[in-house]
Amino acid sequence: MALSISRFSAGSAAAPAPDARPSGVLRGRFDVLPGAPVLVLALWLTLTGNLPLWQRIGSLDGSLAFRLGGSLGLGLLIGCLNLALLALLAWPRVWRPAATVLILVTALAGHFMAEYGVVIDTSMLVNALQTDTREVRDLLSLRLLLTVVGIAGPALWWVWRRPPTGATRWWRQATRNAGTAALALALAVLVAVLSYSSLASLMRNHKPLRYMANPLSSVYAIGRLALDQAPTPARTLTPVGTDAHVVLPAQAHRRPALLMLVVGETARAENFGLDGYPRDTTPALARWQAAQAGQGQGSLVNFADVQSCGTNTQVSVPCLFSPLSREEGGNQPPTQENLLDVLQRAGLAVLWLDNQSGCKGVCDRVPHASTRELNVPGLCEGGECLDEVMLQDLDARIAALDPQRREKGVVVVLHQMGSHGPAYFKRAPAAAKRFLPECESNTLSDCTPEALRNTYDNSIAYTDHVLDLGLQWLQAQAQGGRYDTGLLYVSDHGESLGENGLYLHGLPYALAPSQQTHVPMVMWLSDALQARTGIDGACLRRQASLPLSHDNVFHSVLGLMQVHTLAHLPALDITAPCGQASPLAREDTRGAGLG
């Protein structure tokens, strides 16, 4: 199939008169057929649109021949595939809008890949679609504008300035489009075969590169997402824990239990003081950990080896509350009810407070409220609030819950803004910033590593402060004789801060570094709650070094709240080895161990 442009002029003798044009001819004027324009744009997308990919390959270890060979083979392969994609879009009234979208997607994806080291896959796209206005605002920058204008501008001008010509018959257009696409795919296969050795080595040793092909990765992710979210018949979530009920303790411990479950955001264990970080980012939690049980201080335990279920909120939060482990599909779109449903079915009062971009469907069937739009002086500014705001009026919020449920027990979930980036400097008030100077830009590569670390560490230290306030409130509830209280804090995922050129989070789980999957988790139990559940604090501290994950949260919360159900698996309950196991719990069919 020749890569040429066939032009028809309205005044040409070979062209039919407009009024006599048969129905099989496309009406309208069309200036691009599979030929030079398609080829030129394919070259632009491959070369200019993939600058982050070529820069990443150029920075790899290895000989110059290895890097040049890999770049050449991968470039030819991407170019052929881009040509095939564009050829299929070369239709009247389709070409210009479609080319515009691809150019803009390429420029935007290129910016975020270059700026933050992210890659484009389905989970990243879902995460982007779930981003709220505040988070979008944090990502906007002058560099983003300059990148889009500088990269996309010339290509858009070139696409839209070409003068229109005549039209051609639909079957001739289809033949040319299909022929060009087939030829491009055949060349892609030939390139893959001839470059197999260098390409296989490159892809096997540097897997993130396969997600950086622009705009192919974005097109693939959009297609996958469209298929995943295509309209399907309404499906009811499978009930979980239909036998769930709370076993009331002995008369001596008839006060209801109250558990504060804090879902952290973007906190990584590597910068958590309790996990061995050289900086003291968790001084308050350290004091609570040092307090001796039996003296009214309760017992705080830090779990040092905890893995997240995902690398973004959209995956990790639903998985955190799922009865399924990650291996069983807890990281997939939910098909079953979650922990909050089971707690509510057992008769407990449940409340979800959100200072983030929503609960991702987890709290849809329980009482919930957002604190993002509050206007509390000193805590809310610029359309967002600091996490401390969730503790405001907490007594009144709990008092508004069903009193019969409150008598059986209360679980309050606080979903933090935490250390969400890239605007880490917004995550802590000025008076609480102990590590200076800070990075006050959302263009993280503009900041020195030291300033970036200071800013992120201040967000972790502020989370420490918020948890300290929460623990003081829980301790007051316990000492006042109202509730037997406890706290469980765990982050949804971690964060990259420039290690190996990566920033933020959201890499595919198999490729993600430990900074994005190793998360902090702490548990505090009042003396009264330990007595109520029979949990031995010293034993619990001995469990602290065991490998754990988000899989343990569902079962551990059921254990702490003494909810008996066959859905509760003692082998995944952190507290089970140190307390009274449920007589109704079935054997763990997933094997022994806590992780």
Side-chain angles (χ1 to χ4, degrees), residues 170-214:
W170 73 266
W171 56 265
R172 184 176 296 173
Q173 185 74 58
T175 301
R176 289 178 175 176
N177 289 2
T180 303
L183 178 58
L185 291 175
L187 290 174
V189 172
L190 180 61
V191 169
V193 171
L194 296 178
S195 306
Y196 176 78
S197 177
S198 59
L199 286 177
S201 176
L202 190 66
M203 295 295 105
R204 182 168 54 249
N205 295 316
H206 306 283
K207 294 180 180 179
L209 296 179
R210 66 186 65 181
Y211 296 96
M212 295 182 67
N214 222 350

mmCIF file of all heavy atoms in Angstrom, residues 170-214:
data_model
loop_
_atom_site.group_PDB
_atom_site.id
_atom_site.type_symbol
_atom_site.label_atom_id
_atom_site.label_comp_id
_atom_site.label_asym_id
_atom_site.label_seq_id
_atom_site.Cartn_x
_atom_site.Cartn_y
_atom_site.Cartn_z
ATOM 1 N N TRP A 170 -15.968 6.256 0.700
ATOM 2 C CA TRP A 170 -15.712 5.631 2.010
ATOM 3 C C TRP A 170 -14.950 4.333 1.869
ATOM 4 O O TRP A 170 -14.079 4.019 2.680
ATOM 5 C CB TRP A 170 -17.025 5.394 2.746
ATOM 6 C CG TRP A 170 -17.859 4.260 2.178
ATOM 7 C CD1 TRP A 170 -18.843 4.353 1.269
ATOM 8 C CD2 TRP A 170 -17.716 2.875 2.504
ATOM 9 N NE1 TRP A 170 -19.357 3.124 0.984
ATOM 10 C CE2 TRP A 170 -18.676 2.193 1.733
ATOM 11 C CE3 TRP A 170 -16.889 2.157 3.365
ATOM 12 C CZ2 TRP A 170 -18.821 0.810 1.792
ATOM 13 C CZ3 TRP A 170 -17.030 0.783 3.437
ATOM 14 C CH2 TRP A 170 -18.000 0.117 2.650
ATOM 15 N N TRP A 171 -15.243 3.545 0.820
ATOM 16 C CA TRP A 171 -14.564 2.258 0.691
ATOM 17 C C TRP A 171 -13.097 2.451 0.327
ATOM 18 O O TRP A 171 -12.233 1.674 0.738
ATOM 19 C CB TRP A 171 -15.275 1.381 -0.345
ATOM 20 C CG TRP A 171 -15.426 2.003 -1.719
ATOM 21 C CD1 TRP A 171 -16.490 2.685 -2.193
ATOM 22 C CD2 TRP A 171 -14.445 1.974 -2.758
ATOM 23 N NE1 TRP A 171 -16.258 3.120 -3.475
ATOM 24 C CE2 TRP A 171 -15.002 2.678 -3.854
ATOM 25 C CE3 TRP A 171 -13.174 1.412 -2.878
ATOM 26 C CZ2 TRP A 171 -14.327 2.855 -5.049
ATOM 27 C CZ3 TRP A 171 -12.493 1.582 -4.078
ATOM 28 C CH2 TRP A 171 -13.055 2.301 -5.145
ATOM 29 N N ARG A 172 -12.806 3.510 -0.450
ATOM 30 C CA ARG A 172 -11.406 3.777 -0.783
ATOM 31 C C ARG A 172 -10.650 4.250 0.458
ATOM 32 O O ARG A 172 -9.514 3.856 0.700
ATOM 33 C CB ARG A 172 -11.352 4.825 -1.892
ATOM 34 C CG ARG A 172 -9.929 5.094 -2.389
ATOM 35 C CD ARG A 172 -9.953 6.062 -3.561
ATOM 36 N NE ARG A 172 -10.667 5.455 -4.686
ATOM 37 C CZ ARG A 172 -10.968 6.124 -5.799
ATOM 38 N NH1 ARG A 172 -10.658 7.411 -5.901
ATOM 39 N NH2 ARG A 172 -11.599 5.516 -6.783
ATOM 40 N N GLN A 173 -11.318 5.095 1.240
ATOM 41 C CA GLN A 173 -10.711 5.553 2.497
ATOM 42 C C GLN A 173 -10.455 4.375 3.438
ATOM 43 O O GLN A 173 -9.381 4.254 4.040
ATOM 44 C CB GLN A 173 -11.638 6.561 3.178
ATOM 45 C CG GLN A 173 -11.060 7.197 4.442
ATOM 46 C CD GLN A 173 -9.990 8.203 4.111
ATOM 47 O OE1 GLN A 173 -10.225 9.169 3.392
ATOM 48 N NE2 GLN A 173 -8.801 7.974 4.619
ATOM 49 N N ALA A 174 -11.441 3.493 3.589
ATOM 50 C CA ALA A 174 -11.291 2.340 4.471
ATOM 51 C C ALA A 174 -10.157 1.445 4.009
ATOM 52 O O ALA A 174 -9.380 0.919 4.819
ATOM 53 C CB ALA A 174 -12.604 1.562 4.529
ATOM 54 N N THR A 175 -10.058 1.258 2.697
ATOM 55 C CA THR A 175 -8.987 0.404 2.155
ATOM 56 C C THR A 175 -7.615 0.992 2.476
ATOM 57 O O THR A 175 -6.693 0.283 2.891
ATOM 58 C CB THR A 175 -9.157 0.243 0.643
ATOM 59 O OG1 THR A 175 -10.431 -0.341 0.365
ATOM 60 C CG2 THR A 175 -8.064 -0.640 0.071
ATOM 61 N N ARG A 176 -7.486 2.304 2.269
ATOM 62 C CA ARG A 176 -6.189 2.944 2.535
ATOM 63 C C ARG A 176 -5.860 2.918 4.028
ATOM 64 O O ARG A 176 -4.726 2.644 4.413
ATOM 65 C CB ARG A 176 -6.222 4.382 2.022
ATOM 66 C CG ARG A 176 -6.212 4.458 0.512
ATOM 67 C CD ARG A 176 -6.297 5.886 0.038
ATOM 68 N NE ARG A 176 -6.179 5.950 -1.405
ATOM 69 C CZ ARG A 176 -6.293 7.055 -2.111
ATOM 70 N NH1 ARG A 176 -6.551 8.197 -1.490
ATOM 71 N NH2 ARG A 176 -6.162 7.044 -3.416
ATOM 72 N N ASN A 177 -6.840 3.215 4.844
ATOM 73 C CA ASN A 177 -6.591 3.176 6.288
ATOM 74 C C ASN A 177 -6.162 1.787 6.740
ATOM 75 O O ASN A 177 -5.175 1.618 7.466
ATOM 76 C CB ASN A 177 -7.860 3.582 7.045
ATOM 77 C CG ASN A 177 -8.173 5.051 6.901
ATOM 78 O OD1 ASN A 177 -7.474 5.789 6.211
ATOM 79 N ND2 ASN A 177 -9.243 5.487 7.556
ATOM 80 N N ALA A 178 -6.923 0.779 6.327
ATOM 81 C CA ALA A 178 -6.625 -0.586 6.742
ATOM 82 C C ALA A 178 -5.293 -1.046 6.183
ATOM 83 O O ALA A 178 -4.506 -1.727 6.868
ATOM 84 C CB ALA A 178 -7.745 -1.518 6.296
ATOM 85 N N GLY A 179 -5.020 -0.689 4.936
ATOM 86 C CA GLY A 179 -3.753 -1.100 4.332
ATOM 87 C C GLY A 179 -2.556 -0.488 5.022
ATOM 88 O O GLY A 179 -1.550 -1.160 5.277
ATOM 89 N N THR A 180 -2.660 0.808 5.343
ATOM 90 C CA THR A 180 -1.562 1.471 6.045
ATOM 91 C C THR A 180 -1.365 0.868 7.439
ATOM 92 O O THR A 180 -0.230 0.634 7.878
ATOM 93 C CB THR A 180 -1.842 2.975 6.161
ATOM 94 O OG1 THR A 180 -2.039 3.527 4.860
ATOM 95 C CG2 THR A 180 -0.683 3.694 6.829
ATOM 96 N N ALA A 181 -2.475 0.634 8.140
ATOM 97 C CA ALA A 181 -2.374 0.037 9.479
ATOM 98 C C ALA A 181 -1.769 -1.358 9.414
ATOM 99 O O ALA A 181 -0.918 -1.716 10.245
ATOM 100 C CB ALA A 181 -3.748 -0.015 10.131
ATOM 101 N N ALA A 182 -2.191 -2.149 8.412
ATOM 102 C CA ALA A 182 -1.653 -3.506 8.280
ATOM 103 C C ALA A 182 -0.162 -3.471 7.971
ATOM 104 O O ALA A 182 0.620 -4.262 8.524
ATOM 105 C CB ALA A 182 -2.411 -4.254 7.193
ATOM 106 N N LEU A 183 0.241 -2.545 7.097
ATOM 107 C CA LEU A 183 1.658 -2.437 6.774
ATOM 108 C C LEU A 183 2.458 -2.026 8.000
ATOM 109 O O LEU A 183 3.543 -2.563 8.274
ATOM 110 C CB LEU A 183 1.848 -1.425 5.650
ATOM 111 C CG LEU A 183 3.294 -1.140 5.217
ATOM 112 C CD1 LEU A 183 3.986 -2.421 4.769
ATOM 113 C CD2 LEU A 183 3.327 -0.088 4.113
ATOM 114 N N ALA A 184 1.928 -1.070 8.769
ATOM 115 C CA ALA A 184 2.624 -0.618 9.973
ATOM 116 C C ALA A 184 2.753 -1.748 10.995
ATOM 117 O O ALA A 184 3.799 -1.911 11.632
ATOM 118 C CB ALA A 184 1.891 0.571 10.582
ATOM 119 N N LEU A 185 1.690 -2.533 11.170
ATOM 120 C CA LEU A 185 1.746 -3.658 12.112
ATOM 121 C C LEU A 185 2.734 -4.716 11.646
ATOM 122 O O LEU A 185 3.443 -5.323 12.454
ATOM 123 C CB LEU A 185 0.352 -4.257 12.288
ATOM 124 C CG LEU A 185 -0.663 -3.374 13.031
ATOM 125 C CD1 LEU A 185 -2.038 -4.025 13.023
ATOM 126 C CD2 LEU A 185 -0.208 -3.124 14.464
ATOM 127 N N ALA A 186 2.776 -4.957 10.325
ATOM 128 C CA ALA A 186 3.740 -5.924 9.796
ATOM 129 C C ALA A 186 5.164 -5.459 10.056
ATOM 130 O O ALA A 186 6.042 -6.259 10.430
ATOM 131 C CB ALA A 186 3.500 -6.128 8.297
ATOM 132 N N LEU A 187 5.411 -4.159 9.871
ATOM 133 C CA LEU A 187 6.736 -3.618 10.175
ATOM 134 C C LEU A 187 7.050 -3.728 11.665
ATOM 135 O O LEU A 187 8.196 -3.987 12.051
ATOM 136 C CB LEU A 187 6.808 -2.163 9.727
ATOM 137 C CG LEU A 187 6.821 -1.917 8.209
ATOM 138 C CD1 LEU A 187 6.751 -0.424 7.914
ATOM 139 C CD2 LEU A 187 8.061 -2.532 7.578
ATOM 140 N N ALA A 188 6.021 -3.525 12.508
ATOM 141 C CA ALA A 188 6.226 -3.651 13.954
ATOM 142 C C ALA A 188 6.653 -5.074 14.310
ATOM 143 O O ALA A 188 7.550 -5.282 15.137
ATOM 144 C CB ALA A 188 4.957 -3.274 14.704
ATOM 145 N N VAL A 189 6.009 -6.059 13.702
ATOM 146 C CA VAL A 189 6.379 -7.454 13.953
ATOM 147 C C VAL A 189 7.807 -7.709 13.484
ATOM 148 O O VAL A 189 8.600 -8.367 14.176
ATOM 149 C CB VAL A 189 5.395 -8.405 13.240
ATOM 150 C CG1 VAL A 189 5.888 -9.849 13.324
ATOM 151 C CG2 VAL A 189 4.004 -8.279 13.839
ATOM 152 N N LEU A 190 8.154 -7.179 12.325
ATOM 153 C CA LEU A 190 9.508 -7.363 11.801
ATOM 154 C C LEU A 190 10.545 -6.734 12.728
ATOM 155 O O LEU A 190 11.587 -7.338 13.032
ATOM 156 C CB LEU A 190 9.595 -6.752 10.397
ATOM 157 C CG LEU A 190 10.960 -6.868 9.700
ATOM 158 C CD1 LEU A 190 11.338 -8.340 9.504
ATOM 159 C CD2 LEU A 190 10.941 -6.124 8.366
ATOM 160 N N VAL A 191 10.253 -5.515 13.205
ATOM 161 C CA VAL A 191 11.176 -4.845 14.128
ATOM 162 C C VAL A 191 11.317 -5.650 15.412
ATOM 163 O O VAL A 191 12.426 -5.817 15.943
ATOM 164 C CB VAL A 191 10.672 -3.423 14.439
ATOM 165 C CG1 VAL A 191 11.455 -2.815 15.605
ATOM 166 C CG2 VAL A 191 10.790 -2.540 13.208
ATOM 167 N N ALA A 192 10.196 -6.164 15.933
ATOM 168 C CA ALA A 192 10.242 -6.945 17.167
ATOM 169 C C ALA A 192 11.088 -8.198 17.002
ATOM 170 O O ALA A 192 11.854 -8.571 17.908
ATOM 171 C CB ALA A 192 8.824 -7.309 17.603
ATOM 172 N N VAL A 193 10.976 -8.842 15.848
ATOM 173 C CA VAL A 193 11.758 -10.054 15.598
ATOM 174 C C VAL A 193 13.236 -9.723 15.468
ATOM 175 O O VAL A 193 14.102 -10.375 16.078
ATOM 176 C CB VAL A 193 11.249 -10.766 14.325
ATOM 177 C CG1 VAL A 193 12.188 -11.906 13.941
ATOM 178 C CG2 VAL A 193 9.839 -11.297 14.545
ATOM 179 N N LEU A 194 13.546 -8.694 14.680
ATOM 180 C CA LEU A 194 14.950 -8.342 14.453
ATOM 181 C C LEU A 194 15.615 -7.764 15.702
ATOM 182 O O LEU A 194 16.825 -7.917 15.888
ATOM 183 C CB LEU A 194 15.055 -7.337 13.303
ATOM 184 C CG LEU A 194 14.611 -7.842 11.921
ATOM 185 C CD1 LEU A 194 14.719 -6.729 10.884
ATOM 186 C CD2 LEU A 194 15.453 -9.048 11.496
ATOM 187 N N SER A 195 14.827 -7.104 16.556
ATOM 188 C CA SER A 195 15.399 -6.472 17.763
ATOM 189 C C SER A 195 15.087 -7.251 19.022
ATOM 190 O O SER A 195 15.200 -6.707 20.122
ATOM 191 C CB SER A 195 14.859 -5.032 17.890
ATOM 192 O OG SER A 195 15.076 -4.288 16.728
ATOM 193 N N TYR A 196 14.677 -8.499 18.870
ATOM 194 C CA TYR A 196 14.185 -9.257 20.025
ATOM 195 C C TYR A 196 15.214 -9.310 21.153
ATOM 196 O O TYR A 196 14.881 -9.113 22.320
ATOM 197 C CB TYR A 196 13.813 -10.680 19.612
ATOM 198 C CG TYR A 196 13.378 -11.536 20.791
ATOM 199 C CD1 TYR A 196 12.103 -11.411 21.323
ATOM 200 C CD2 TYR A 196 14.262 -12.429 21.382
ATOM 201 C CE1 TYR A 196 11.704 -12.159 22.413
ATOM 202 C CE2 TYR A 196 13.876 -13.191 22.474
ATOM 203 C CZ TYR A 196 12.598 -13.056 22.991
ATOM 204 O OH TYR A 196 12.222 -13.798 24.061
ATOM 205 N N SER A 197 16.439 -9.552 20.819
ATOM 206 C CA SER A 197 17.465 -9.723 21.855
ATOM 207 C C SER A 197 17.593 -8.473 22.710
ATOM 208 O O SER A 197 17.538 -8.538 23.947
ATOM 209 C CB SER A 197 18.806 -10.059 21.209
ATOM 210 O OG SER A 197 19.815 -10.169 22.191
ATOM 211 N N SER A 198 17.762 -7.310 22.055
ATOM 212 C CA SER A 198 17.949 -6.077 22.826
ATOM 213 C C SER A 198 16.663 -5.647 23.524
ATOM 214 O O SER A 198 16.687 -5.205 24.676
ATOM 215 C CB SER A 198 18.443 -4.962 21.910
ATOM 216 O OG SER A 198 17.514 -4.729 20.867
ATOM 217 N N LEU A 199 15.514 -5.815 22.838
ATOM 218 C CA LEU A 199 14.248 -5.420 23.449
ATOM 219 C C LEU A 199 13.900 -6.307 24.638
ATOM 220 O O LEU A 199 13.434 -5.819 25.672
ATOM 221 C CB LEU A 199 13.123 -5.482 22.413
ATOM 222 C CG LEU A 199 13.097 -4.369 21.360
ATOM 223 C CD1 LEU A 199 11.963 -4.613 20.372
ATOM 224 C CD2 LEU A 199 12.943 -3.010 22.018
ATOM 225 N N ALA A 200 14.113 -7.624 24.511
ATOM 226 C CA ALA A 200 13.792 -8.539 25.605
ATOM 227 C C ALA A 200 14.627 -8.224 26.832
ATOM 228 O O ALA A 200 14.126 -8.205 27.964
ATOM 229 C CB ALA A 200 14.017 -9.983 25.152
ATOM 230 N N SER A 201 15.909 -7.953 26.617
ATOM 231 C CA SER A 201 16.781 -7.622 27.739
ATOM 232 C C SER A 201 16.358 -6.321 28.389
ATOM 233 O O SER A 201 16.303 -6.199 29.619
ATOM 234 C CB SER A 201 18.229 -7.517 27.249
ATOM 235 O OG SER A 201 19.084 -7.110 28.292
ATOM 236 N N LEU A 202 16.002 -5.329 27.560
ATOM 237 C CA LEU A 202 15.607 -4.030 28.079
ATOM 238 C C LEU A 202 14.316 -4.128 28.887
ATOM 239 O O LEU A 202 14.208 -3.605 29.999
ATOM 240 C CB LEU A 202 15.431 -3.057 26.911
ATOM 241 C CG LEU A 202 15.246 -1.575 27.250
ATOM 242 C CD1 LEU A 202 16.502 -1.011 27.881
ATOM 243 C CD2 LEU A 202 14.882 -0.787 25.993
ATOM 244 N N MET A 203 13.311 -4.817 28.350
ATOM 245 C CA MET A 203 12.018 -4.915 29.024
ATOM 246 C C MET A 203 12.081 -5.815 30.260
ATOM 247 O O MET A 203 11.406 -5.563 31.257
ATOM 248 C CB MET A 203 10.965 -5.460 28.055
ATOM 249 C CG MET A 203 10.643 -4.561 26.881
ATOM 250 S SD MET A 203 9.868 -2.998 27.371
ATOM 251 C CE MET A 203 11.260 -1.872 27.151
ATOM 252 N N ARG A 204 12.883 -6.853 30.195
ATOM 253 C CA ARG A 204 12.965 -7.777 31.326
ATOM 254 C C ARG A 204 13.659 -7.129 32.517
ATOM 255 O O ARG A 204 13.265 -7.335 33.670
ATOM 256 C CB ARG A 204 13.705 -9.048 30.901
ATOM 257 C CG ARG A 204 13.790 -10.099 32.013
ATOM 258 C CD ARG A 204 14.263 -11.446 31.460
ATOM 259 N NE ARG A 204 15.504 -11.333 30.725
ATOM 260 C CZ ARG A 204 15.620 -11.495 29.408
ATOM 261 N NH1 ARG A 204 14.537 -11.752 28.682
ATOM 262 N NH2 ARG A 204 16.785 -11.376 28.800
ATOM 263 N N ASN A 205 14.691 -6.334 32.259
ATOM 264 C CA ASN A 205 15.471 -5.744 33.347
ATOM 265 C C ASN A 205 14.946 -4.382 33.781
ATOM 266 O O ASN A 205 15.316 -3.890 34.856
ATOM 267 C CB ASN A 205 16.936 -5.613 32.922
ATOM 268 C CG ASN A 205 17.593 -6.963 32.682
ATOM 269 O OD1 ASN A 205 17.418 -7.886 33.467
ATOM 270 N ND2 ASN A 205 18.327 -7.086 31.589
ATOM 271 N N HIS A 206 14.104 -3.779 32.960
ATOM 272 C CA HIS A 206 13.590 -2.439 33.282
ATOM 273 C C HIS A 206 12.103 -2.400 32.934
ATOM 274 O O HIS A 206 11.679 -1.732 31.988
ATOM 275 C CB HIS A 206 14.364 -1.367 32.506
ATOM 276 C CG HIS A 206 15.851 -1.442 32.695
ATOM 277 N ND1 HIS A 206 16.486 -0.986 33.830
ATOM 278 C CD2 HIS A 206 16.823 -1.966 31.897
ATOM 279 C CE1 HIS A 206 17.788 -1.197 33.728
ATOM 280 N NE2 HIS A 206 18.020 -1.790 32.569
ATOM 281 N N LYS A 207 11.312 -3.096 33.729
ATOM 282 C CA LYS A 207 9.890 -3.281 33.425
ATOM 283 C C LYS A 207 9.077 -1.991 33.350
ATOM 284 O O LYS A 207 8.129 -1.911 32.568
ATOM 285 C CB LYS A 207 9.270 -4.252 34.439
ATOM 286 C CG LYS A 207 9.811 -5.665 34.329
ATOM 287 C CD LYS A 207 9.169 -6.588 35.358
ATOM 288 C CE LYS A 207 9.723 -8.003 35.240
ATOM 289 N NZ LYS A 207 9.127 -8.909 36.251
ATOM 290 N N PRO A 208 9.391 -0.949 34.142
ATOM 291 C CA PRO A 208 8.577 0.271 34.037
ATOM 292 C C PRO A 208 8.567 0.890 32.645
ATOM 293 O O PRO A 208 7.644 1.625 32.299
ATOM 294 C CB PRO A 208 9.231 1.219 35.054
ATOM 295 C CG PRO A 208 9.853 0.317 36.064
ATOM 296 C CD PRO A 208 10.343 -0.865 35.270
ATOM 297 N N LEU A 209 9.587 0.572 31.823
ATOM 298 C CA LEU A 209 9.652 1.176 30.492
ATOM 299 C C LEU A 209 8.462 0.790 29.630
ATOM 300 O O LEU A 209 8.036 1.561 28.764
ATOM 301 C CB LEU A 209 10.953 0.755 29.785
ATOM 302 C CG LEU A 209 12.267 1.213 30.427
ATOM 303 C CD1 LEU A 209 13.449 0.693 29.621
ATOM 304 C CD2 LEU A 209 12.320 2.725 30.532
ATOM 305 N N ARG A 210 7.898 -0.383 29.863
ATOM 306 C CA ARG A 210 6.793 -0.839 29.024
ATOM 307 C C ARG A 210 5.531 -0.002 29.242
ATOM 308 O O ARG A 210 4.620 -0.018 28.420
ATOM 309 C CB ARG A 210 6.488 -2.314 29.308
ATOM 310 C CG ARG A 210 5.950 -2.599 30.692
ATOM 311 C CD ARG A 210 5.810 -4.085 30.954
ATOM 312 N NE ARG A 210 7.105 -4.758 30.970
ATOM 313 C CZ ARG A 210 7.265 -6.067 31.161
ATOM 314 N NH1 ARG A 210 6.202 -6.827 31.339
ATOM 315 N NH2 ARG A 210 8.470 -6.597 31.173
ATOM 316 N N TYR A 211 5.483 0.746 30.358
ATOM 317 C CA TYR A 211 4.326 1.589 30.627
ATOM 318 C C TYR A 211 4.561 3.042 30.193
ATOM 319 O O TYR A 211 3.703 3.891 30.427
ATOM 320 C CB TYR A 211 3.994 1.578 32.121
ATOM 321 C CG TYR A 211 3.578 0.233 32.644
ATOM 322 C CD1 TYR A 211 4.498 -0.613 33.250
ATOM 323 C CD2 TYR A 211 2.259 -0.205 32.537
ATOM 324 C CE1 TYR A 211 4.114 -1.856 33.746
ATOM 325 C CE2 TYR A 211 1.872 -1.433 33.026
ATOM 326 C CZ TYR A 211 2.809 -2.255 33.626
ATOM 327 O OH TYR A 211 2.425 -3.488 34.117
ATOM 328 N N MET A 212 5.712 3.317 29.577
ATOM 329 C CA MET A 212 6.058 4.690 29.237
ATOM 330 C C MET A 212 5.897 4.996 27.757
ATOM 331 O O MET A 212 6.206 6.105 27.317
ATOM 332 C CB MET A 212 7.502 4.981 29.673
ATOM 333 C CG MET A 212 7.723 4.931 31.171
ATOM 334 S SD MET A 212 9.412 5.344 31.656
ATOM 335 C CE MET A 212 9.497 7.075 31.213
ATOM 336 N N ALA A 213 5.457 4.030 26.943
ATOM 337 C CA ALA A 213 5.279 4.264 25.507
ATOM 338 C C ALA A 213 4.114 5.224 25.300
ATOM 339 O O ALA A 213 2.975 4.918 25.639
ATOM 340 C CB ALA A 213 5.037 2.952 24.785
ATOM 341 N N ASN A 214 4.402 6.363 24.729
ATOM 342 C CA ASN A 214 3.432 7.445 24.610
ATOM 343 C C ASN A 214 2.954 7.599 23.167
ATOM 344 O O ASN A 214 3.791 7.604 22.260
ATOM 345 C CB ASN A 214 4.103 8.762 25.052
ATOM 346 C CG ASN A 214 3.212 9.623 25.891
ATOM 347 O OD1 ASN A 214 2.028 9.372 26.021
ATOM 348 N ND2 ASN A 214 3.784 10.681 26.450
#
